[in-house]
Amino acid sequence: MPNIKSAIKRVNSDKAKAAFNKSKKSELKTSIKKTERAIEASAENVAESFKETQKKLDQAAGKGHIHKNKAARKKSRLMKKINLA
């Protein structure tokens, strides 16, 4: 544990940021799984679900939670699944 006051504050802020980033990544994964389930079930809300997931992927890439190429790859693969279904 650090002894310097600013270092102690830094540790606490890092923990808070890590928890926030983890929750955002988890939210993103949940959204992707939800869209994949909708595709498999041939649900009527596939387009709406994909649009929501696409937005979340773009936001995560913009904030730096994931790399922009990873976001593009995920969107591309989801679109490919939608077109095959």
Side-chain angles (χ1 to χ4, degrees):
M1 192 69 192
N3 297 323
I4 299 168
K5 190 174 182 180
S6 62
I8 292 169
K9 289 180 183 177
R10 193 73 188 160
V11 167
N12 291 335
S13 68
D14 286 346
K15 283 182 185 176
K17 285 180 185 178
F20 182 76
N21 289 340
K22 187 174 183 180
S23 72
K24 287 295 180 183
K25 282 187 178 183
S26 176
E27 187 180 312
L28 185 62
K29 289 177 188 176
T30 303
S31 179
I32 292 169
K33 286 178 188 175
K34 181 181 167 187
T35 303
E36 287 176 344
R37 281 194 217 110
I39 293 167
E40 289 173 6
S42 298
E44 294 177 7
N45 63 344
V46 173
E48 182 182 317
S49 180
F50 176 71
K51 188 175 180 181
E52 180 184 323
T53 302
Q54 186 177 17
K55 181 178 178 182
K56 287 184 180 187
L57 283 164
D58 289 335
Q59 287 176 339
K63 295 286 184 178
H65 297 299
I66 60 172
H67 195 275
K68 63 176 185 160
N69 289 351
K70 182 175 182 177
R73 185 175 65 243
K74 292 280 188 184
K75 288 189 290 186
S76 176
R77 288 180 180 171
L78 281 173
M79 186 57 88
K80 189 174 183 181
K81 286 182 183 181
I82 290 170
N83 290 335
L84 288 175

